[in-house]
Amino acid sequence: MALFDPTILQSGEYHDWLVQGFILSIQLTVISFAFALPFGALVAVMRTSTSRLLRAVGTTLVESIRNVPLLAHLLFWYFAFPELLPEGLREILYANNPEVVCAVIALTLYSGVHMAEDIRSGIRAVPATQLEAARSLGLGRAAAVRLVLLPQALRASVPPLLSQTVNLWKDTSVATVIGAAEMMYQAARVETASFRSLEAFTFATLAYLTVSLLISAAAYLFQRRYPVRTAA
């Protein structure tokens, strides 16, 4: 008997499980990124604000979230957070795939604060004269930040943000601990049902590797096409 029999993954129920897990992992990554990026940008702006209160709030968010393991975040949002909700909201949550909802919340917050630090570095890389020029044209500070500072900061932050996206993609695997039916959950399910651990976990490993390399390649190509130029 061959050590690796790929036919078990090419047809039938087990193949469907793995494909469903892969699709959910992609969905978790995309949805979490869509929420994490604006959250990270907001926190980065708070961290670089002239207001002491906003800087304090931004710093508190970053330090309190990134210094707690992702696993603890997932367990908190899945087991503890629903208990804090009114009964009506709790029932709505439990009726709408709570594992995925709580995984998205945890991944969004955890990735968002790491993205915030990358964006904050991008903001610092933008010459102060850019903001001053925008203000001299009559823009208020909020408008100058939104229309002038942030677009340049985000462009400078693209390579590290793509690296954070790779981390986000890999971190979706931790959602298996709360029962989200992502790729690692489905690979373990296939292994339990068929005892074909080699095929199941090889599929998962190659899927994680392939997507990670594609995102890393996108970061490399962007950096080659749009190199970051620092002000003299």
Side-chain angles (χ1 to χ4, degrees):
M1 178 182 294
L3 288 177
F4 183 82
D5 181 8
T7 59
I8 192 171
L9 302 181
Q10 294 174 355
S11 61
E13 187 175 28
Y14 301 145
H15 171 267
D16 293 340
W17 289 354
L18 291 171
V19 171
Q20 289 166 10
F22 175 76
I23 292 172
L24 181 57
S25 292
I26 292 289
Q27 291 173 334
L28 285 173
T29 303
V30 172
I31 296 171
S32 298
F33 179 85
F35 287 114
L37 183 60
F39 173 67
L42 176 61
V43 173
V45 170
M46 293 170 67
R47 293 265 279 161
T48 56
S49 171
T50 56
S51 167
R52 288 186 178 182
L53 177 60
L54 289 178
R55 288 202 307 271
V57 172
T59 300
T60 300
L61 284 172
V62 170
E63 298 302 330
S64 61
I65 293 175
R66 74 175 179 178
N67 288 308
V68 176
L70 177 58
L71 177 60
H73 281 291
L74 285 162
L75 295 175
F76 170 81
W77 288 105
Y78 185 66
F79 291 107
F81 172 67
E83 300 302 317
L84 303 176
L85 296 175
E87 185 176 353
L89 291 177
R90 192 184 314 135
E91 291 177 356
I92 292 174
L93 174 64
Y94 287 150
N96 290 278
N97 205 339
E99 295 84 6
V100 172
V101 173
C102 293
V104 166
I105 294 173
L107 290 167
T108 295
L109 294 176
Y110 192 76
S111 297
V113 296
H114 287 85
M115 291 180 181
E117 293 301 278
D118 293 330
I119 297 171
R120 182 164 73 108
S121 297
I123 290 175
R124 288 179 169 178
V126 178
T129 53
Q130 293 288 317
L131 196 58
E132 293 169 3
R135 296 297 301 276
S136 68
L137 292 174
L139 292 176
R141 179 171 177 80
V145 169
R146 179 171 57 87
L147 299 175
V148 178
L149 184 62
L150 266 183
Q152 296 182 68
L154 286 172
R155 177 172 173 174
S157 305
V158 166
L161 286 175
L162 286 173
S163 295
Q164 288 297 341
T165 306
V166 173
N167 293 333
L168 173 59
W169 160 245
K170 293 184 293 185
D171 285 343
T172 59
S173 62
V174 186
T176 189
V177 301
I178 61 172
E182 44 70 56
M183 192 157 48
M184 286 304 298
Y185 178 95
Q186 297 289 22
R189 185 182 176 196
V190 169
E191 192 277 335
T192 301
S194 66
F195 300 103
R196 304 307 295 261
S197 56
L198 179 61
E199 290 89 340
F201 291 114
T202 297
F203 176 92
T205 299
L206 292 177
Y208 283 118
L209 177 62
T210 300
V211 175
S212 296
L213 290 177
L214 287 174
I215 299 173
S216 297
Y220 174 77
L221 291 174
F222 183 92
Q223 202 163 13
R224 286 285 302 272
R225 180 67 178 83
Y226 303 104
V228 176
R229 295 180 175 86
T230 56

mmCIF file of all heavy atoms in Angstrom, residues 143-182:
data_model
loop_
_atom_site.group_PDB
_atom_site.id
_atom_site.type_symbol
_atom_site.label_atom_id
_atom_site.label_comp_id
_atom_site.label_asym_id
_atom_site.label_seq_id
_atom_site.Cartn_x
_atom_site.Cartn_y
_atom_site.Cartn_z
ATOM 1 N N ALA A 143 -9.307 66.355 8.085
ATOM 2 C CA ALA A 143 -9.334 66.192 6.630
ATOM 3 C C ALA A 143 -7.925 65.996 6.080
ATOM 4 O O ALA A 143 -7.703 65.191 5.168
ATOM 5 C CB ALA A 143 -9.996 67.395 5.978
ATOM 6 N N ALA A 144 -6.947 66.724 6.635
ATOM 7 C CA ALA A 144 -5.562 66.585 6.175
ATOM 8 C C ALA A 144 -5.032 65.183 6.460
ATOM 9 O O ALA A 144 -4.335 64.583 5.633
ATOM 10 C CB ALA A 144 -4.685 67.633 6.848
ATOM 11 N N VAL A 145 -5.362 64.658 7.635
ATOM 12 C CA VAL A 145 -4.935 63.298 7.976
ATOM 13 C C VAL A 145 -5.587 62.289 7.043
ATOM 14 O O VAL A 145 -4.934 61.374 6.523
ATOM 15 C CB VAL A 145 -5.271 62.992 9.446
ATOM 16 C CG1 VAL A 145 -5.094 61.505 9.729
ATOM 17 C CG2 VAL A 145 -4.392 63.817 10.379
ATOM 18 N N ARG A 146 -6.889 62.454 6.799
ATOM 19 C CA ARG A 146 -7.632 61.481 6.000
ATOM 20 C C ARG A 146 -7.264 61.539 4.524
ATOM 21 O O ARG A 146 -7.151 60.503 3.865
ATOM 22 C CB ARG A 146 -9.133 61.730 6.167
ATOM 23 C CG ARG A 146 -10.030 60.798 5.359
ATOM 24 C CD ARG A 146 -11.483 60.969 5.766
ATOM 25 N NE ARG A 146 -11.927 62.342 5.616
ATOM 26 C CZ ARG A 146 -12.427 62.853 4.485
ATOM 27 N NH1 ARG A 146 -12.534 62.081 3.406
ATOM 28 N NH2 ARG A 146 -12.830 64.095 4.430
ATOM 29 N N LEU A 147 -7.062 62.737 3.984
ATOM 30 C CA LEU A 147 -6.864 62.888 2.549
ATOM 31 C C LEU A 147 -5.396 62.936 2.125
ATOM 32 O O LEU A 147 -5.071 62.642 0.974
ATOM 33 C CB LEU A 147 -7.564 64.170 2.063
ATOM 34 C CG LEU A 147 -9.081 64.218 2.267
ATOM 35 C CD1 LEU A 147 -9.627 65.576 1.869
ATOM 36 C CD2 LEU A 147 -9.771 63.116 1.465
ATOM 37 N N VAL A 148 -4.518 63.331 3.029
ATOM 38 C CA VAL A 148 -3.107 63.504 2.658
ATOM 39 C C VAL A 148 -2.193 62.540 3.395
ATOM 40 O O VAL A 148 -1.403 61.817 2.782
ATOM 41 C CB VAL A 148 -2.659 64.966 2.925
ATOM 42 C CG1 VAL A 148 -1.173 65.134 2.598
ATOM 43 C CG2 VAL A 148 -3.508 65.934 2.109
ATOM 44 N N LEU A 149 -2.299 62.517 4.715
ATOM 45 C CA LEU A 149 -1.353 61.729 5.507
ATOM 46 C C LEU A 149 -1.588 60.228 5.381
ATOM 47 O O LEU A 149 -0.659 59.463 5.087
ATOM 48 C CB LEU A 149 -1.446 62.162 6.973
ATOM 49 C CG LEU A 149 -0.456 61.502 7.931
ATOM 50 C CD1 LEU A 149 0.976 61.832 7.531
ATOM 51 C CD2 LEU A 149 -0.721 61.950 9.364
ATOM 52 N N LEU A 150 -2.830 59.791 5.603
ATOM 53 C CA LEU A 150 -3.106 58.347 5.608
ATOM 54 C C LEU A 150 -2.834 57.671 4.267
ATOM 55 O O LEU A 150 -2.244 56.577 4.248
ATOM 56 C CB LEU A 150 -4.540 58.085 6.062
ATOM 57 C CG LEU A 150 -4.756 57.792 7.542
ATOM 58 C CD1 LEU A 150 -6.215 57.479 7.822
ATOM 59 C CD2 LEU A 150 -3.867 56.652 8.020
ATOM 60 N N PRO A 151 -3.251 58.250 3.129
ATOM 61 C CA PRO A 151 -2.953 57.567 1.859
ATOM 62 C C PRO A 151 -1.459 57.322 1.655
ATOM 63 O O PRO A 151 -1.051 56.247 1.200
ATOM 64 C CB PRO A 151 -3.521 58.529 0.806
ATOM 65 C CG PRO A 151 -4.619 59.254 1.517
ATOM 66 C CD PRO A 151 -4.121 59.428 2.924
ATOM 67 N N GLN A 152 -0.622 58.303 1.998
ATOM 68 C CA GLN A 152 0.827 58.120 1.850
ATOM 69 C C GLN A 152 1.360 57.110 2.857
ATOM 70 O O GLN A 152 2.225 56.293 2.544
ATOM 71 C CB GLN A 152 1.539 59.468 2.035
ATOM 72 C CG GLN A 152 1.198 60.488 0.971
ATOM 73 C CD GLN A 152 1.967 61.775 1.163
ATOM 74 O OE1 GLN A 152 3.184 61.797 0.994
ATOM 75 N NE2 GLN A 152 1.269 62.845 1.507
ATOM 76 N N ALA A 153 0.835 57.166 4.090
ATOM 77 C CA ALA A 153 1.284 56.230 5.124
ATOM 78 C C ALA A 153 0.905 54.797 4.764
ATOM 79 O O ALA A 153 1.696 53.866 4.962
ATOM 80 C CB ALA A 153 0.675 56.613 6.473
ATOM 81 N N LEU A 154 -0.287 54.606 4.231
ATOM 82 C CA LEU A 154 -0.727 53.256 3.868
ATOM 83 C C LEU A 154 0.117 52.698 2.729
ATOM 84 O O LEU A 154 0.444 51.513 2.720
ATOM 85 C CB LEU A 154 -2.211 53.281 3.478
ATOM 86 C CG LEU A 154 -3.191 53.435 4.640
ATOM 87 C CD1 LEU A 154 -4.611 53.638 4.126
ATOM 88 C CD2 LEU A 154 -3.145 52.215 5.558
ATOM 89 N N ARG A 155 0.457 53.558 1.780
ATOM 90 C CA ARG A 155 1.298 53.085 0.678
ATOM 91 C C ARG A 155 2.659 52.641 1.205
ATOM 92 O O ARG A 155 3.185 51.600 0.797
ATOM 93 C CB ARG A 155 1.474 54.182 -0.366
ATOM 94 C CG ARG A 155 2.394 53.774 -1.508
ATOM 95 C CD ARG A 155 2.393 54.785 -2.620
ATOM 96 N NE ARG A 155 3.398 54.460 -3.629
ATOM 97 C CZ ARG A 155 3.548 55.101 -4.763
ATOM 98 N NH1 ARG A 155 2.762 56.102 -5.054
ATOM 99 N NH2 ARG A 155 4.486 54.742 -5.619
ATOM 100 N N ALA A 156 3.225 53.425 2.117
ATOM 101 C CA ALA A 156 4.521 53.046 2.689
ATOM 102 C C ALA A 156 4.421 51.791 3.540
ATOM 103 O O ALA A 156 5.409 51.082 3.741
ATOM 104 C CB ALA A 156 5.066 54.202 3.524
ATOM 105 N N SER A 157 3.209 51.507 4.045
ATOM 106 C CA SER A 157 3.015 50.381 4.966
ATOM 107 C C SER A 157 2.602 49.095 4.265
ATOM 108 O O SER A 157 2.421 48.071 4.945
ATOM 109 C CB SER A 157 1.939 50.744 6.005
ATOM 110 O OG SER A 157 2.253 51.935 6.681
ATOM 111 N N VAL A 158 2.430 49.129 2.945
ATOM 112 C CA VAL A 158 1.904 47.949 2.247
ATOM 113 C C VAL A 158 2.747 46.694 2.476
ATOM 114 O O VAL A 158 2.193 45.626 2.807
ATOM 115 C CB VAL A 158 1.728 48.235 0.742
ATOM 116 C CG1 VAL A 158 1.527 46.938 -0.044
ATOM 117 C CG2 VAL A 158 0.529 49.147 0.526
ATOM 118 N N PRO A 159 4.076 46.723 2.313
ATOM 119 C CA PRO A 159 4.847 45.482 2.524
ATOM 120 C C PRO A 159 4.653 44.880 3.918
ATOM 121 O O PRO A 159 4.341 43.686 4.026
ATOM 122 C CB PRO A 159 6.291 45.922 2.267
ATOM 123 C CG PRO A 159 6.166 47.076 1.329
ATOM 124 C CD PRO A 159 4.945 47.806 1.783
ATOM 125 N N PRO A 160 4.811 45.655 5.022
ATOM 126 C CA PRO A 160 4.569 45.038 6.331
ATOM 127 C C PRO A 160 3.113 44.631 6.543
ATOM 128 O O PRO A 160 2.838 43.651 7.244
ATOM 129 C CB PRO A 160 4.997 46.124 7.331
ATOM 130 C CG PRO A 160 4.993 47.394 6.568
ATOM 131 C CD PRO A 160 5.350 47.027 5.169
ATOM 132 N N LEU A 161 2.178 45.364 5.931
ATOM 133 C CA LEU A 161 0.771 44.981 6.071
ATOM 134 C C LEU A 161 0.503 43.645 5.377
ATOM 135 O O LEU A 161 -0.286 42.827 5.870
ATOM 136 C CB LEU A 161 -0.143 46.066 5.502
ATOM 137 C CG LEU A 161 -0.276 47.338 6.332
ATOM 138 C CD1 LEU A 161 -1.123 48.379 5.599
ATOM 139 C CD2 LEU A 161 -0.884 47.040 7.700
ATOM 140 N N LEU A 162 1.145 43.415 4.244
ATOM 141 C CA LEU A 162 1.000 42.121 3.576
ATOM 142 C C LEU A 162 1.628 41.008 4.408
ATOM 143 O O LEU A 162 1.121 39.880 4.433
ATOM 144 C CB LEU A 162 1.616 42.175 2.177
ATOM 145 C CG LEU A 162 0.804 42.955 1.137
ATOM 146 C CD1 LEU A 162 1.587 43.103 -0.159
ATOM 147 C CD2 LEU A 162 -0.527 42.275 0.864
ATOM 148 N N SER A 163 2.719 41.326 5.090
ATOM 149 C CA SER A 163 3.313 40.340 6.004
ATOM 150 C C SER A 163 2.355 40.022 7.143
ATOM 151 O O SER A 163 2.217 38.859 7.561
ATOM 152 C CB SER A 163 4.639 40.866 6.562
ATOM 153 O OG SER A 163 5.597 41.011 5.541
ATOM 154 N N GLN A 164 1.662 41.050 7.645
ATOM 155 C CA GLN A 164 0.661 40.805 8.679
ATOM 156 C C GLN A 164 -0.507 39.976 8.134
ATOM 157 O O GLN A 164 -1.120 39.195 8.867
ATOM 158 C CB GLN A 164 0.130 42.139 9.226
ATOM 159 C CG GLN A 164 1.102 42.899 10.098
ATOM 160 C CD GLN A 164 1.479 42.157 11.370
ATOM 161 O OE1 GLN A 164 0.787 41.242 11.811
ATOM 162 N NE2 GLN A 164 2.593 42.552 11.971
ATOM 163 N N THR A 165 -0.791 40.138 6.836
ATOM 164 C CA THR A 165 -1.848 39.334 6.227
ATOM 165 C C THR A 165 -1.463 37.861 6.197
ATOM 166 O O THR A 165 -2.305 36.974 6.389
ATOM 167 C CB THR A 165 -2.146 39.833 4.800
ATOM 168 O OG1 THR A 165 -2.435 41.227 4.841
ATOM 169 C CG2 THR A 165 -3.347 39.100 4.200
ATOM 170 N N VAL A 166 -0.184 37.583 5.957
ATOM 171 C CA VAL A 166 0.301 36.195 6.029
ATOM 172 C C VAL A 166 0.084 35.652 7.436
ATOM 173 O O VAL A 166 -0.393 34.518 7.618
ATOM 174 C CB VAL A 166 1.791 36.108 5.644
ATOM 175 C CG1 VAL A 166 2.326 34.693 5.894
ATOM 176 C CG2 VAL A 166 1.990 36.492 4.189
ATOM 177 N N ASN A 167 0.421 36.458 8.443
ATOM 178 C CA ASN A 167 0.209 36.022 9.824
ATOM 179 C C ASN A 167 -1.266 35.789 10.105
ATOM 180 O O ASN A 167 -1.629 34.824 10.792
ATOM 181 C CB ASN A 167 0.766 37.063 10.797
ATOM 182 C CG ASN A 167 2.277 37.164 10.740
ATOM 183 O OD1 ASN A 167 2.962 36.201 10.391
ATOM 184 N ND2 ASN A 167 2.818 38.331 11.058
ATOM 185 N N LEU A 168 -2.110 36.671 9.582
ATOM 186 C CA LEU A 168 -3.555 36.517 9.771
ATOM 187 C C LEU A 168 -4.043 35.217 9.142
ATOM 188 O O LEU A 168 -4.834 34.473 9.749
ATOM 189 C CB LEU A 168 -4.278 37.717 9.171
ATOM 190 C CG LEU A 168 -5.810 37.657 9.112
ATOM 191 C CD1 LEU A 168 -6.393 37.484 10.507
ATOM 192 C CD2 LEU A 168 -6.363 38.915 8.451
ATOM 193 N N TRP A 169 -3.573 34.931 7.926
ATOM 194 C CA TRP A 169 -3.953 33.695 7.236
ATOM 195 C C TRP A 169 -3.569 32.471 8.074
ATOM 196 O O TRP A 169 -4.353 31.549 8.261
ATOM 197 C CB TRP A 169 -3.303 33.663 5.869
ATOM 198 C CG TRP A 169 -3.197 32.317 5.214
ATOM 199 C CD1 TRP A 169 -2.057 31.643 4.923
ATOM 200 C CD2 TRP A 169 -4.268 31.483 4.762
ATOM 201 N NE1 TRP A 169 -2.336 30.443 4.330
ATOM 202 C CE2 TRP A 169 -3.690 30.315 4.211
ATOM 203 C CE3 TRP A 169 -5.655 31.591 4.771
ATOM 204 C CZ2 TRP A 169 -4.442 29.281 3.671
ATOM 205 C CZ3 TRP A 169 -6.422 30.561 4.235
ATOM 206 C CH2 TRP A 169 -5.824 29.426 3.693
ATOM 207 N N LYS A 170 -2.350 32.478 8.612
ATOM 208 C CA LYS A 170 -1.908 31.336 9.420
ATOM 209 C C LYS A 170 -2.645 31.279 10.755
ATOM 210 O O LYS A 170 -2.921 30.192 11.275
ATOM 211 C CB LYS A 170 -0.395 31.416 9.640
ATOM 212 C CG LYS A 170 0.414 31.227 8.356
ATOM 213 C CD LYS A 170 1.902 31.209 8.616
ATOM 214 C CE LYS A 170 2.417 32.553 9.076
ATOM 215 N NZ LYS A 170 3.895 32.573 9.213
ATOM 216 N N ASP A 171 -2.973 32.439 11.312
ATOM 217 C CA ASP A 171 -3.654 32.476 12.612
ATOM 218 C C ASP A 171 -5.081 31.937 12.553
ATOM 219 O O ASP A 171 -5.641 31.574 13.591
ATOM 220 C CB ASP A 171 -3.686 33.916 13.150
ATOM 221 C CG ASP A 171 -2.327 34.365 13.682
ATOM 222 O OD1 ASP A 171 -1.468 33.497 13.927
ATOM 223 O OD2 ASP A 171 -2.135 35.590 13.852
ATOM 224 N N THR A 172 -5.661 31.871 11.353
ATOM 225 C CA THR A 172 -7.013 31.308 11.264
ATOM 226 C C THR A 172 -7.041 29.863 11.747
ATOM 227 O O THR A 172 -8.092 29.368 12.161
ATOM 228 C CB THR A 172 -7.551 31.370 9.819
ATOM 229 O OG1 THR A 172 -6.682 30.641 8.943
ATOM 230 C CG2 THR A 172 -7.662 32.810 9.342
ATOM 231 N N SER A 173 -5.885 29.196 11.703
ATOM 232 C CA SER A 173 -5.835 27.793 12.137
ATOM 233 C C SER A 173 -6.147 27.652 13.623
ATOM 234 O O SER A 173 -6.625 26.601 14.067
ATOM 235 C CB SER A 173 -4.455 27.194 11.840
ATOM 236 O OG SER A 173 -3.447 27.877 12.557
ATOM 237 N N VAL A 174 -5.888 28.708 14.408
ATOM 238 C CA VAL A 174 -6.140 28.636 15.849
ATOM 239 C C VAL A 174 -7.639 28.598 16.139
ATOM 240 O O VAL A 174 -8.061 28.138 17.206
ATOM 241 C CB VAL A 174 -5.466 29.820 16.570
ATOM 242 C CG1 VAL A 174 -5.582 29.695 18.081
ATOM 243 C CG2 VAL A 174 -3.997 29.915 16.184
ATOM 244 N N ALA A 175 -8.452 29.055 15.197
ATOM 245 C CA ALA A 175 -9.904 29.069 15.402
ATOM 246 C C ALA A 175 -10.479 27.672 15.578
ATOM 247 O O ALA A 175 -11.631 27.519 16.003
ATOM 248 C CB ALA A 175 -10.596 29.778 14.240
ATOM 249 N N THR A 176 -9.681 26.649 15.276
ATOM 250 C CA THR A 176 -10.177 25.278 15.463
ATOM 251 C C THR A 176 -10.508 24.987 16.929
ATOM 252 O O THR A 176 -11.344 24.131 17.227
ATOM 253 C CB THR A 176 -9.136 24.263 14.940
ATOM 254 O OG1 THR A 176 -9.706 22.954 14.926
ATOM 255 C CG2 THR A 176 -7.889 24.249 15.809
ATOM 256 N N VAL A 177 -9.865 25.714 17.872
ATOM 257 C CA VAL A 177 -10.072 25.426 19.297
ATOM 258 C C VAL A 177 -11.483 25.779 19.749
ATOM 259 O O VAL A 177 -11.940 25.260 20.770
ATOM 260 C CB VAL A 177 -9.041 26.155 20.182
ATOM 261 C CG1 VAL A 177 -7.634 25.744 19.822
ATOM 262 C CG2 VAL A 177 -9.210 27.666 20.092
ATOM 263 N N ILE A 178 -12.166 26.676 19.016
ATOM 264 C CA ILE A 178 -13.546 27.010 19.399
ATOM 265 C C ILE A 178 -14.556 26.350 18.458
ATOM 266 O O ILE A 178 -15.738 26.673 18.481
ATOM 267 C CB ILE A 178 -13.766 28.533 19.450
ATOM 268 C CG1 ILE A 178 -13.512 29.182 18.082
ATOM 269 C CG2 ILE A 178 -12.906 29.173 20.525
ATOM 270 C CD1 ILE A 178 -13.895 30.655 18.035
ATOM 271 N N GLY A 179 -14.067 25.440 17.622
ATOM 272 C CA GLY A 179 -14.969 24.668 16.777
ATOM 273 C C GLY A 179 -15.323 25.296 15.452
ATOM 274 O O GLY A 179 -16.251 24.825 14.782
ATOM 275 N N ALA A 180 -14.609 26.368 15.059
ATOM 276 C CA ALA A 180 -14.837 26.929 13.727
ATOM 277 C C ALA A 180 -14.345 25.916 12.696
ATOM 278 O O ALA A 180 -13.214 25.427 12.785
ATOM 279 C CB ALA A 180 -14.089 28.257 13.570
ATOM 280 N N ALA A 181 -15.183 25.599 11.727
ATOM 281 C CA ALA A 181 -14.884 24.505 10.799
ATOM 282 C C ALA A 181 -13.938 24.943 9.693
ATOM 283 O O ALA A 181 -14.204 24.750 8.501
ATOM 284 C CB ALA A 181 -16.175 23.942 10.219
ATOM 285 N N GLU A 182 -12.784 25.543 10.091
ATOM 286 C CA GLU A 182 -11.793 25.967 9.096
ATOM 287 C C GLU A 182 -10.922 24.766 8.712
ATOM 288 O O GLU A 182 -11.246 23.630 9.047
ATOM 289 C CB GLU A 182 -10.975 27.155 9.622
ATOM 290 C CG GLU A 182 -10.511 27.041 11.048
ATOM 291 C CD GLU A 182 -9.452 26.005 11.228
ATOM 292 O OE1 GLU A 182 -8.411 26.094 10.550
ATOM 293 O OE2 GLU A 182 -9.640 25.080 12.036
#
